[in-house]
Amino acid sequence: MTIQSITSLGVDVSKSSVTCHILSQYPLGGLKNYWQKSRNQASKLFPTFYSSPKAKSNQKSAFDFVDYLQENKPSVAIMEPTGNHYSRLWARILESLGIKILWVGHIELRRYRGGKNLPNKSDAADALAMAAYGLDQENYLETGVLNLRQFLMHRPEPIDQLRELVQQLEHLNRVQSPIINYTRQQLAWQFPEKAHSKTESTKPGNVPPLWGWLAQRETEVHPQSYKSITKIYQQSIAVQLGLEIDPVVRLHADWLCDIDLEEQRLEALLKPLVNDDQFQIYNQVFDQFNFGLRIRARLLSRIYPFEAFLTNGKQLIEREIREVKKKEVTREQGKSVVKFLPGDVKRVKRNRSRDAFKLRLGMGTVLEQSGDKLVEKGSGSSLCRMNFWQYVITKIEIDGRLPNNPIGEEIALYKAELKKNVDASGKQLLNGKHLQAKLGSKVANMLFRELSRAIATARS
């Protein structure tokens, strides 16, 4: 696919619509100049199509989108992965017409749009940027062939299934949290002896004992657990005072039972996908960190194939001579505030492959202007960042839960070194989220290192 043969369609996906723009060649005079001339003809040059158009308006429908594609015959469509659900309908239409889809990462597109001086928060400008991205000579090889490394690599079917299942599990987890909180508040006076007790299902097909008992689903609870809770309730102070279990509490418990069974069903589907032979090397590395099923699935959905972060099978490491400014980082109201001071001219090394890897996992950072200060913020997948945070607080911060191997020893040593940082009064300098962020970043660096080694060994 050469630059002379491409008709590029930029598709900006919104919640219930897409905005499009089509180019057959890169605009002469640059994108900013082109945008200034064409933005006043938005309805014609940047048409918007709706999945559910309003009946009494002139909004174009998905069927009109099909007609638009058949009329203009684009050879490629450039899209941003803005949510699997929002883009799925439009991607399916493109695929059904035989139009190749190329995906551009969020960060890459934001930088590209900013570098071309196009406005932010504009669907039409985004569509233009994506259409131009597929025609920009910077994204082609010297032979004139499109450089597919400038786009997100195609994910195999199991990866898409993994991502879908993980998102469903995370949705169920978010749904049940407020239900559990409300139920426990009610139990504080209706059944105080069990209000804050831990309850988990231990056998597939069974529900958590407390929720099953409250929902009166005796056949789905282990008999001994059901009898034990019944006995505790009969001796409860609430019973002695004439306080009864509210029907609303029983309804909430019933919901929690259904959610737990659905989680079991999804995890049963997730497990064989994660353990697929093509992920064997990845799982061997994950074993060293003692990652659980869900975090493995989330990581695979973001980093597979690992070769996407390499250049010709090797890490992209750049070296340059430049002024290395002294960096002062302070914590203000829970945020890292960065200040740069004059420094020395040094030869520095940047591992671009590792930086891209960490950014994909939400463990990268960017500097943003806030007033007269530079604030360091996490960047990349917020869901992956949450997975790393959960790993830190459940496996690293609690003594004795790290794996008994060199990986666990390295993490434990790093944690000990961080906690040695104290001020003149002996107060620990790193605490809470700041400490957890450091540990999470360390785990991401180690994961990149171990995957690099494992995949290089597999090739040799």
Side-chain angles (χ1 to χ4, degrees):
M1 190 176 293
T2 62
I3 193 168
Q4 291 83 5
S5 64
I6 285 182
T7 300
S8 178
L9 173 70
V11 183
D12 182 68
V13 181
S14 300
K15 188 174 294 186
S16 58
S17 65
V18 289
T19 300
C20 303
H21 189 66
I22 196 161
L23 290 173
S24 57
Q25 64 178 18
Y26 191 86
L28 298 175
L31 284 191
K32 184 177 180 181
N33 183 53
Y34 180 87
W35 169 253
Q36 295 291 344
K37 293 180 179 180
S38 62
R39 63 179 180 176
N40 293 327
Q41 305 177 58
S43 60
K44 178 182 177 181
L45 298 178
F46 300 92
T48 299
F49 304 92
Y50 295 83
S51 57
S52 180
K54 295 179 180 179
K56 295 182 179 180
S57 69
N58 293 322
Q59 292 180 344
K60 297 179 180 180
S61 69
F63 294 101
D64 295 316
F65 180 59
V66 173
D67 294 337
Y68 174 79
L69 296 175
Q70 291 175 334
E71 179 183 350
N72 290 280
K73 295 182 173 55
S75 47
V76 296
I78 314 295
M79 298 178 70
E80 189 180 11
T82 311
N84 286 344
H85 303 293
Y86 296 148
S87 60
R88 181 170 295 183
L89 171 66
W90 310 103
R92 180 60 62 89
I93 292 174
L94 290 162
E95 290 168 350
S96 69
L97 295 175
I99 299 171
K100 182 178 180 61
I101 301 174
L102 297 174
W103 301 91
V104 181
H106 304 292
I107 296 170
E108 289 82 357
L109 182 63
R110 185 170 68 244
R111 288 174 177 169
Y112 182 79
R113 184 185 61 232
K116 301 297 183 180
N117 295 314
L118 292 176
N120 194 12
K121 303 296 183 182
S122 169
D123 294 341
D126 283 347
L128 170 60
M130 280 185 270
Y133 194 88
L135 294 168
D136 197 318
Q137 292 186 359
E138 294 293 330
N139 297 322
Y140 284 77
L141 301 172
E142 293 180 357
T143 58
V145 176
L146 189 65
N147 183 6
L148 295 180
R149 292 192 62 84
Q150 297 296 103
F151 301 86
L152 297 178
M153 293 185 70
H154 172 70
R155 299 189 303 264
E157 184 65 24
I159 291 297
D160 286 330
Q161 295 176 13
L162 281 175
R163 178 169 290 189
E164 183 71 23
L165 291 172
V166 169
Q167 288 177 341
Q168 291 178 14
L169 284 166
E170 289 171 345
H171 165 69
L172 292 176
N173 186 59
R174 290 193 297 269
V175 166
Q176 66 179 314
S177 294
I179 301 175
I180 291 174
N181 292 338
Y182 176 83
T183 303
R184 291 195 183 280
Q185 290 170 11
Q186 297 298 305
L187 291 179
W189 60 273
Q190 297 176 24
F191 192 178
E193 292 80 4
K194 299 294 288 185
H196 302 291
S197 63
K198 187 177 180 180
T199 181
E200 293 179 348
S201 55
T202 56
K203 179 183 177 182
N206 279 2
V207 298
L210 179 59
W211 309 141
W213 183 88
L214 288 168
Q216 299 175 319
R217 296 168 66 156
E218 185 173 356
T219 59
E220 298 171 273
V221 179
H222 190 279
Q224 189 61 39
S225 298
Y226 201 90
K227 290 178 182 179
S228 174
I229 297 174
T230 300
K231 184 177 180 180
I232 295 172
Y233 180 68
Q234 290 171 346
Q235 299 171 355
S236 172
I237 184 65
V239 173
Q240 306 303 319
L241 295 174
L243 300 173
E244 298 180 351
I245 304 293
D246 193 290
V248 174
V249 171
R250 296 196 184 279
L251 176 63
H252 280 58
D254 197 44
W255 291 343
L256 292 171
C257 290
D258 289 339
I259 290 173
D260 190 84
L261 291 175
E262 179 62 12
E263 286 183 322
Q264 292 180 35
R265 184 188 73 83
L266 293 174
E267 288 188 342
L269 296 173
L270 193 63
K271 192 170 183 180
L273 288 173
V274 170
N275 293 325
D276 191 278
D277 289 342
Q278 64 183 315
F279 305 136
Q280 182 179 2
I281 295 176
Y282 296 80
N283 278 312
Q284 289 172 353
V285 174
F286 294 161
D287 287 341
Q288 298 178 50
F289 290 85
N290 197 20
F291 287 147
L293 177 66
R294 295 192 189 186
I295 190 173
R296 290 178 188 233
R298 173 58 69 187
L299 290 173
L300 285 171
S301 72
R302 299 298 300 177
I303 66 173
Y304 185 88
F306 184 77
E307 288 80 1
F309 301 101
L310 308 177
T311 301
N312 298 324
K314 297 181 180 180
Q315 297 178 32
L316 177 59
I317 299 176
E318 296 180 345
R319 294 174 173 83
E320 58 183 359
I321 297 177
R322 62 179 175 86
E323 181 187 8
V324 180
K325 295 185 177 182
K326 295 179 182 178
K327 182 178 177 181
E328 289 185 356
V329 182
T330 57
R331 298 288 289 181
E332 296 182 12
Q333 298 178 347
K335 296 181 180 180
S336 294
V337 177
V338 180
K339 184 178 181 181
F340 291 103
L341 303 173
D344 300 325
V345 175
K346 297 181 180 179
R347 189 168 186 264
V348 296
K349 179 174 72 172
R350 291 291 301 273
N351 191 327
R352 300 296 183 183
S353 296
R354 186 188 61 199
D355 292 347
F357 177 84
K358 291 181 66 177
L359 203 58
R360 185 70 62 84
L361 294 180
M363 299 307 297
T365 58
V366 295
L367 292 177
E368 294 185 1
Q369 192 76 33
S370 178
D372 60 346
K373 301 174 182 177
L374 286 173
V375 177
E376 190 174 43
K377 293 185 177 181
S379 183
S381 170
S382 59
L383 293 175
C384 274
R385 194 181 310 125
M386 176 63 73
N387 287 144
F388 274 92
W389 176 77
Q390 290 170 338
Y391 179 78
V392 168
I393 64 173
T394 59
K395 296 290 178 68
I396 300 180
E397 291 202 330
I398 300 177
D399 294 335
R401 290 196 177 181
L402 279 170
N404 186 21
N405 58 26
I407 292 293
E409 293 172 2
E410 184 177 348
I411 295 174
L413 180 62
Y414 182 71
K415 181 179 75 169
E417 290 176 352
L418 290 179
K419 291 190 173 182
K420 286 180 182 178
N421 292 328
V422 296
D423 59 17
S425 64
K427 181 181 178 181
Q428 188 174 310
L429 294 176
L430 294 175
N431 288 290
K433 291 184 178 180
H434 195 191
L435 176 64
Q436 292 160 2
K438 288 280 189 182
L439 291 170
S441 181
K442 174 67 174 179
V443 173
N445 286 332
M446 293 174 63
L447 180 60
F448 177 82
R449 182 191 69 197
E450 296 303 319
L451 283 170
S452 298
R453 291 174 177 174
I455 290 176
T457 301
R459 283 206 204 97
S460 61

